[in-house]
Amino acid sequence: MTYTYQFVAALFGAACLAGFFGALLGVGGGIFIVPVMVLMFQLPMKIAVAASIVSVIATSNAGGSAYVEQRITNLRLAMFLEIATTAGALGGSILALYLHEWLMLLLFAIMLAYMGWAAYSTRNLDDERIARGDFERARPDRLSAFLDLRGDYYDQAARREVAYVVNGAPIGAGIAGLAGLASGMLGVGGGVLKVSAMNRYMNVPMKAAVGTSKLMIGVTAAVSSILFFMAGLIHFYVVAPVALGTTAGATVGTMVMNRLHSAVLKWILSLLMAYLAYGMLAKALLERFGVHLPVLAG
Amino acid sequence: MAMETEQNVYAGVYRALLAGMAASTLLFAAGVILALLHPTYVPLDPSWVRSHYRLGTELRGLLSGDPTAYMLLGTLLLILTPVARVVVSIYAFYVDRDYKYVAVTSIVLAVMILTVGLSCLGLR
């Protein structure tokens, strides 16, 4: 890899965009930056995954601190779910050290496709649920009540205080564990899984789920980063511009995020992920079987 | 009391995140600028990366303006920020006598320590 102005500028620019979308959509940015590094910059999958997971900490710090300041984050919920995500991340990153590159590409494509679909199929639910006041009226399960997991935040788009009761703590923790596994293995924050787990099964409004997920992502990613660091997979010359770019992008994205309606967010998210899933699938088939799928761009 | 509790934890977490972010950003920026002053070929090999993991090499690198040393320190600080965030949270929950959450957060810290232990022991 020759370290030139052009290379650094392009990588920085791409990372800015990934961080911006990441913060805007609450998905950590890894889901965008890994395909960009692999498809556009032709970097090895494992180097991309390791660099991405470090930059995911950067976006979590930048985005996470802003949500903490705006009180959108539910700190208790974050701490509770982090037990599951960190344990998952440890398992996932150990797997990543031993998996074949093409298999990681394929898994990444499947994850992107699933998450794109999940975001699309739930795009209208949130605004309606806020308007009806559903989030306040739910009944907590025993674990959620014991841990006092309820919360509230001010929604700038709906122009009101949104209070919510958390339930489904056991299933939420289970999905969070899977999110941690995916995070460690594929270098993503796992934000999409965590956000949809909180939003669908734990009765947490989308924006509170995004803010809480952002904070958790940093802790989850730190666990995988420690492992990748020791393995020598975290390449500083790749990490530095990527982390700087994602931090800059995430800062801007976070400022915009609370002003947008959830349905718009989810639309952009699903389109972009379908596109990237196709690219990663094409690369996996090429590496393993030598099959050429038509490439959509670059 | 409940209100103060929340205030303490939120403020502590916020400061820990901000400090780590600022320090690693500065180090990364310094590293990239230093590297671009003399563009060269950089190997992508993990063993090349690991060859920089020595305290002596790191300190000499920082003093002599070696870009790798700056980026390595930035990476380390970035990885340690969430760890610090967890430690700060344990302390804040403890000060606020929220022992349930001292326990919850301590489990998270234990997983992190386990990871360091595992990496040191056999996953090289």
Side-chain angles (χ1 to χ4, degrees), chain A residues 83-98:
Chain A
I83 296 177
T85 59
T86 48
L90 179 54
S93 48
I94 291 175
L95 270 178
L97 294 183
Y98 299 106

Side-chain angles (χ1 to χ4, degrees), chain A residues 102-120:
Chain A
W102 74 271
L103 204 57
M104 290 171 76
L105 285 164
L106 187 67
L107 286 171
F108 204 102
I110 294 171
M111 179 188 64
L112 271 167
Y114 167 73
M115 289 179 176
W117 175 80
Y120 177 79

Side-chain angles (χ1 to χ4, degrees), chain B residues 18-28 74 77:
Chain B
L18 226 54
M21 189 174 77
S24 61
T25 302
L26 285 177
L27 284 163
F28 279 146
L77 274 181

Side-chain angles (χ1 to χ4, degrees), chain A residues 69-170:
Chain A
E69 198 192 16
Q70 294 173 41
R71 295 303 192 89
I72 295 176
T73 311
N74 185 333
L75 277 180
R76 285 155 179 267
L77 182 59
M79 301 292 177
F80 164 64
L81 290 177
E82 271 165 10
I83 296 177
T85 59
T86 48
L90 179 54
S93 48
I94 291 175
L95 270 178
L97 294 183
Y98 299 106
L99 280 181
H100 287 290
E101 296 246 327
W102 74 271
L103 204 57
M104 290 171 76
L105 285 164
L106 187 67
L107 286 171
F108 204 102
I110 294 171
M111 179 188 64
L112 271 167
Y114 167 73
M115 289 179 176
W117 175 80
Y120 177 79
S121 64
T122 59
R123 67 196 181 285
N124 280 324
L125 277 175
D126 223 45
D127 294 340
E128 290 165 22
R129 278 159 81 187
I130 289 179
R132 281 204 304 266
D134 281 2
F135 287 112
E136 288 172 67
R137 282 198 294 269
R139 285 175 59 83
D141 64 300
R142 280 171 67 186
L143 187 57
S144 306
F146 174 73
L147 291 170
D148 195 20
L149 289 177
R150 72 205 143 70
D152 56 72
Y153 74 100
Y154 182 77
D155 192 305
Q156 286 182 17
R159 290 165 189 262
R160 53 176 284 201
E161 197 77 33
V162 179
Y164 54 95
V165 173
V166 178
N167 55 28

